[in-house]
Amino acid sequence: MARPDLVLLHPPSVIDFREKALLPGPVSDLIPSTPVFEMYPIGFTTIASHLESKGFEVRIVNIANKMLMSKRFDPERFVKSLDAGMFGIDLHWMPHVQGALELARMAKAHHPDIPVVLGGFSASYYHSELLSKYPQVDFVLRGDSTEVPMEGLLEAAEKGKGLEGVPNLSWRSHGAPKANPLSHVPDTLDDIVIDYGLMVRKVLRYRDLSGNMPYRNWKANPMSIAVAVRGCTHNCSNCAGSCDSFARNFGRKKPAYRSPELLAEDISRAEEYIKGATFVVGDVRQAGKAYADRFLKELKSRKVGNEVVIELFTPAGKDFAQQVAGSVDRFSVQMSPETHDDDVRKAQGKPYTTAGMEKSAEAFLDAGCNRFDLFYMIGLPTQTKESVEGTVKYTRALYERFKDGRLFPFISPLAPFLDPGGNSFEHADALGYRLFASTVEDHIRLATMPTWKYVLNYETRWLSRDAIVDATYSAGLGLNAIKRDMGLISEEAAERVERRTIGAREMMKRIDGVVAHGKATDKDLDELREVASRLSESTVCEKEELDWSEDSIYASIPRMVGALLRRK
Ligand code: B12
Ligand code: SF4
């Protein structure tokens, strides 16, 4: 087999997560990944599709998922066995900081002549420190659109051309970090290729299913993603994907949209390969009513059978809900009011009211959505313990109002890290945050702490780290009891969540004790590791509560084969 020009590696959050007694906590309860954050960025597929259209061969290896799926899988031995023109590692999400740099270290140790490039939001933000302090990193490609710059970098490396001309590239010139201008910031997403068949072809070519799966549970709950936008018109204070952060860190002054026609086409093409929900990233109303109208008209004409999951960044009324219902067979909605309290929501940068959210829920439930998910968060500016308790109480009232079991509120902490680059991180003091980490090095130190309390890179003026942990477990138990009382989850499921949450709380106390007394014995650690691993998957809710469909990957096999044959 020819050596790939680029091998893209997705790290686990912490490379030795299998050996350490970690209590990562409910950091990933609301997403498909486990706390190892094994989901690779959608950008892996757009980079690979773009490069392949230019004649390069790209391999994707989800190291995190391979480690989760086989205890015997040894990342170092595997990296040693690889051959490539270049290694690419994502440091998109900051929680991967230790894992990404450890993978880079392994790649460099075994292949000193193969360049290592990092990319993603966090790598972009920390490019200078990465190149100054981590010799295993040769390059950082900055920004939210690196498909074309990556092509330029591969060409420059293969042909021995100079690196000055590669847009968005940070590199070392005579040993010192140098940053080329962040000049490739396309104003539309229409040139992006999202090839939903890529993963299937790569599985067959490299005979590697676990290395290509987006996340561990994907076989049971396959989901696809369609990206409407890079950038955002909103300015939520904690978010590194906000309007201010995009401008400050990724050179983007305004969002880039996928045209409504191409977006609808993406959703329809996803269905050729995958029988499962398609999650549309970005509120389709962000680009204006005309955009949303065109998108829904296009979607209708394509008669999509897969469930389509849309996001609402602001409340929506009956007309829009009916319009969505008229365009697809099955749909669900996600909204993140973060809190029941309008003042706290305003401080977080979301100036809409709970009444507006309720109207949206009513409109979409009336229009026939499969489910309406509501995400609440702990760790917001001005949010107190009492306010979190208020959110849980409010949830009961909501359930009582919308009784039919299609409304799903979730609550989780802002964890493990406050986003570097977001407004709360940049203006921590002014917005009431106290940071425990600001550099890459600081975050690596936190990432390997024994429990999620010590991993948190912040606390707020209103909630200390201890209070965030306490409020989280109490809110989790409160919400679980409400769901049980309302018959939304079975008695057994409620009991499981309760046992795990109480267990995790106890475990936290035991580890706190060990940390407070300084040294733990090996016996202590072995015992803690055993219990911790059983408590560490989901904590305050069950992963299945997030599943959009009952489809499994096996239901998708005939359509994958059919689609591949049609495209030959
Ligand atoms: C969609 C989304 C998700 C999806 C992920 C979909 C996916 N597989 O990519 C879901 C909902 C699962 C998710 C989960 C999480 N997310 Co999120 N997410 C977003 C969101 C809304 C949009 C991201 C997006 O548009 N991506 C498209 C573009 C920009 O990225 P991309 O195509 O994947 O990659 C391009 C570049 O980033 C770069 N790149 C990326 N990787 C690499 C690697 C190499 C080698 C190179 C060269 C380039 C490169 O090139 C790519 C192609 O041009 C942003 C907010 C925002 N407005 O941006 C938050 C955001 C990225 N998420 C964030 C966070 C914190 C998380 C979680 C950690 C939250 C949690 N605790 O559960 C998890 C991590 C999940 C995991 N890995 O398992 C933060 C990241 C902040 C930070 N610096 O760490 C953001 C900024 C905001 C937020 N708080 O939600 N997320
Ligand atoms: S959290 Fe707010 S700023 Fe961030 S992507 Fe969502 S709407 Fe935009």
Side-chain angles (χ1 to χ4, degrees):
M1 207 181 297
R3 102 173 177 159
D5 298 287
L6 176 68
V7 175
L8 290 169
L9 301 170
H10 177 62
S13 50
V14 174
I15 201 80
D16 38 1
F17 71 94
R18 293 180 301 194
E19 288 88 49
K20 291 219 155 126
L22 298 174
L23 190 64
V27 294
S28 67
D29 277 16
L30 304 189
I31 54 163
S33 299
T34 67
V36 169
F37 291 120
E38 76 273 17
M39 191 191 264
Y40 56 76
I42 179 82
F44 267 21
T45 52
T46 55
I47 293 172
S49 304
H50 175 79
L51 293 175
E52 299 225 326
S53 75
K54 303 290 175 187
F56 293 98
E57 173 58 28
V58 183
R59 179 173 182 187
I60 291 175
V61 189
N62 188 343
I63 299 284
N65 193 51
K66 289 180 88 66
M67 290 179 76
L68 278 172
M69 295 196 65
S70 163
K71 277 193 181 140
R72 292 205 320 266
F73 175 79
D74 176 345
E76 180 128 20
R77 200 177 325 136
F78 180 82
V79 168
K80 187 176 173 192
S81 75
L82 288 171
D83 193 10
M86 194 176 289
F87 289 114
I89 300 172
D90 63 292
L91 178 51
H92 187 48
W93 297 282
M94 198 56 188
H96 292 98
V97 64
Q98 193 264 7
L101 285 165
E102 275 302 292
L103 263 191
R105 184 196 55 73
M106 290 172 188
K108 206 30 95 192
H110 297 293
H111 309 280
D113 299 328
I114 302 179
V116 174
V117 56
L118 261 59
F121 284 174
S122 303
S124 302
Y125 181 76
Y126 284 116
H127 65 112
S128 175
E129 186 183 342
L130 288 168
L131 286 164
S132 322
K133 297 206 182 133
Y134 299 89
Q136 65 267 48
V137 180
D138 296 300
F139 305 122
V140 176
L141 272 178
R142 301 171 347 258
D144 63 21
S145 301
T146 62
E147 293 83 0
V148 172
M150 192 70 224
E151 180 192 350
L153 179 61
L154 285 180
E155 264 188 4
E158 278 179 17
K159 296 186 182 146
K161 289 202 288 191
L163 296 170
E164 287 83 2
V166 180
N168 303 10
L169 182 71
S170 294
W171 50 295
R172 274 188 214 92
S173 172
H174 306 293
K178 181 174 167 140
N180 294 350
L182 190 46
S183 54
H184 184 79
V185 187
D187 53 15
T188 125
L189 296 189
D190 288 357
D191 297 328
I192 304 285
V193 187
I194 303 188
D195 177 357
Y196 293 97
L198 182 100
M199 190 187 112
V200 186
R201 290 199 309 278
K202 295 290 165 197
V203 170
L204 298 176
R205 182 176 169 92
Y206 293 102
R207 296 170 191 276
D208 183 8
L209 177 61
S210 58
N212 281 277
M213 264 163 50
Y215 47 93
R216 186 172 69 172
N217 195 28
W218 195 77
K219 274 198 277 185
N221 183 29
M223 177 194 94
S224 49
I225 294 175
V227 180
V229 60
R230 285 180 184 166
C232 188
T233 49
H234 296 271
N235 242 336
C236 303
S237 84
N238 297 334
C239 179
S242 66
C243 168
D244 284 354
S245 172
F246 263 98
R248 208 167 31 224
N249 305 309
F250 317 128
R252 178 168 295 294
K253 300 279 184 296
K254 60 179 189 347
Y257 297 100
R258 184 98 164 142
S259 73
E261 293 74 19
L262 283 178
L263 184 63
E265 179 64 18
D266 291 342
I267 296 170
S268 160
R269 275 190 306 108
E271 184 174 50
E272 288 180 31
Y273 291 93
I274 296 156
K275 187 171 183 288
T278 303
F279 178 86
V280 184
V281 173
D283 186 328
V284 295
R285 299 166 305 151
Q286 263 196 111
K289 184 172 175 340
Y291 178 101
D293 288 350
R294 261 167 64 201
F295 165 65
L296 292 172
K297 191 166 151 250
E298 287 291 330
L299 204 55
K300 184 173 183 171
S301 72
R302 284 171 169 80
K303 300 191 172 31
V304 174
N306 267 354
E307 177 161 10
V308 176
V309 184
I310 62 158
E311 285 188 278
L312 296 181
F313 288 173
T314 52
K318 277 191 179 144
D319 289 353
F320 183 62
Q322 293 296 342
Q323 206 182 345
V324 174
S327 311
V328 281
D329 279 356
R330 294 188 292 158
F331 70 103
S332 288
V333 185
Q334 302 203 325
M335 196 166 181
S336 304
E338 323 270 28
T339 160
H340 73 295
D341 183 329
D342 289 348
D343 291 334
V344 177
R345 191 178 309 106
K346 195 166 166 203
Q348 157 68 355
K350 288 193 170 175
Y352 63 80
T353 60
T354 292
M357 180 281 288
E358 286 179 4
K359 277 201 183 115
S360 315
E362 188 171 21
F364 278 95
L365 291 167
D366 283 353
C369 71
N370 275 357
R371 51 188 287 165
F372 195 97
D373 290 343
L374 286 171
F375 295 108
Y376 292 103
M377 198 183 262
I378 299 168
L380 303 169
T382 75
Q383 185 187 40
T384 57
K385 174 174 171 272
E386 291 70 32
S387 175
V388 177
E389 286 165 4
T391 299
V392 176
K393 269 196 205 123
Y394 167 77
T395 306
R396 188 178 281 277
L398 252 190
Y399 273 136
E400 275 161 6
R401 175 163 168 205
F402 301 104
K403 281 200 173 82
D404 69 3
R406 287 179 295 145
L407 190 88
F408 286 81
F410 297 95
I411 190 158
S412 74
L414 196 183
F417 295 150
L418 180 67
D419 296 4
N423 285 345
S424 297
F425 192 89
E426 296 305 298
H427 312 293
D429 234 18
L431 293 170
Y433 283 80
R434 174 172 168 227
L435 299 183
F436 296 110
S438 52
T439 62
V440 167
E441 210 177 321
D442 294 342
H443 282 94
I444 292 178
R445 184 176 43 78
L446 292 186
T448 48
M449 295 300 270
T451 72
W452 69 278
K453 179 173 86 182
Y454 300 101
V455 178
L456 286 176
N457 67 350
Y458 75 99
E459 64 186 11
T460 74
R461 199 178 295 150
W462 307 271
L463 287 174
S464 67
R465 267 174 168 173
D466 278 305
I468 292 172
V469 170
D470 254 12
T472 298
Y473 289 134
S474 301
L477 287 171
L479 213 61
N480 187 50
I482 296 172
K483 288 180 189 168
R484 184 196 49 214
D485 295 350
M486 306 301 289
L488 291 162
I489 49 173
S490 67
E491 207 48 64
E492 297 80 60
E495 243 175 62
R496 272 197 304 274
V497 171
E498 193 172 306
R499 252 199 326 267
R500 267 206 311 264
T501 310
I502 293 173
R505 203 179 217 171
E506 288 300 309
M507 184 74 188
M508 176 76 90
K509 282 197 192 124
R510 284 174 66 187
I511 299 178
D512 267 357
V514 170
V515 172
H517 288 102
K519 268 187 111 189
T521 65
D522 284 351
K523 190 169 163 281
D524 283 344
L525 285 177
D526 280 347
E527 226 183 278
L528 292 174
R529 194 174 297 129
E530 159 66 20
V531 190
S533 71
R534 273 186 277 126
L535 296 166
S536 290
E537 295 246 319
S538 290
T539 312
V540 295
C541 67
E542 299 250 289
K543 263 295 181 252
E544 291 71 31
E545 290 179 46
L546 287 170
D547 291 356
W548 284 290
S549 66
E550 285 162 8
D551 302 319
S552 86
I553 189 62
Y554 300 105
S556 301
I557 288 173
R559 65 178 72 200
M560 283 179 177
V561 174
L564 278 180
L565 291 176
R566 278 196 299 282
R567 273 166 205 274
K568 284 238 162 196

